[in-house]
């Protein structure tokens, strides 16, 4: 699980680095995700290594929205 998380974070870092170096008006994680997609298309074996970790993250994805929702509810009068 740790190598798979490290792989995902490395692609995010690559995306952030490319956006910073090129000054592109695209978020770094989006570029990193595109790079990861390219690697997965070219080397499908990488998908087998990432699949368990990615499925676990996707199962708990809704938990990542809880802090944002709490923040919105605390500042609802400003909106």
């Amino acid at each position: 699980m740790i190598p798979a998380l490290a792989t995902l974070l490395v692609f995010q870092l690559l995306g952030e680095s490319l956006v910073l170096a090129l000054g592109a008006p695209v978020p770094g994680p989006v570029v990193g995700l595109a790079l990861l997609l390219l690697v997965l298309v070219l080397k499908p074996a990488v998908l087998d290594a990432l699949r368990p970790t990615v499925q676990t993250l996707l199962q708990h994805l809704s938990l990542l929205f809880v802090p944002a929702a709490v923040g919105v509810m605390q500042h609802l009068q400003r909106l």
Side-chain angles (χ1 to χ4, degrees), residues 3 10 15 21 23 29 39 43 46 53 55 59 61 63-65 72-73 76 79:
V10 163
V39 168
K43 293 182 80 175
V46 175
T53 302
Q55 285 178 338
Q59 286 174 349
L61 185 65
L63 292 176
L64 298 175
F65 292 105
V72 168
M73 292 305 292
L76 193 58
L79 297 175

Side-chain angles (χ1 to χ4, degrees), residues 7-74:
T7 302
L8 294 173
L9 290 174
V10 163
F11 276 100
Q12 182 174 354
L13 178 65
L14 285 173
E16 292 282 356
S17 300
L18 280 174
V19 166
L20 186 63
L22 300 175
V26 181
V30 172
V31 174
L33 187 63
L35 291 173
L36 178 62
L37 177 64
L38 181 68
V39 168
L40 291 176
V41 168
L42 296 176
K43 293 182 80 175
V46 175
L47 180 60
D48 294 331
L50 294 178
R51 181 172 281 137
T53 302
V54 171
Q55 285 178 338
T56 302
L57 286 172
L58 287 175
Q59 286 174 349
H60 302 293
L61 185 65
S62 61
L63 292 176
L64 298 175
F65 292 105
V66 171
V70 169
V72 168
M73 292 305 292
Q74 285 183 344

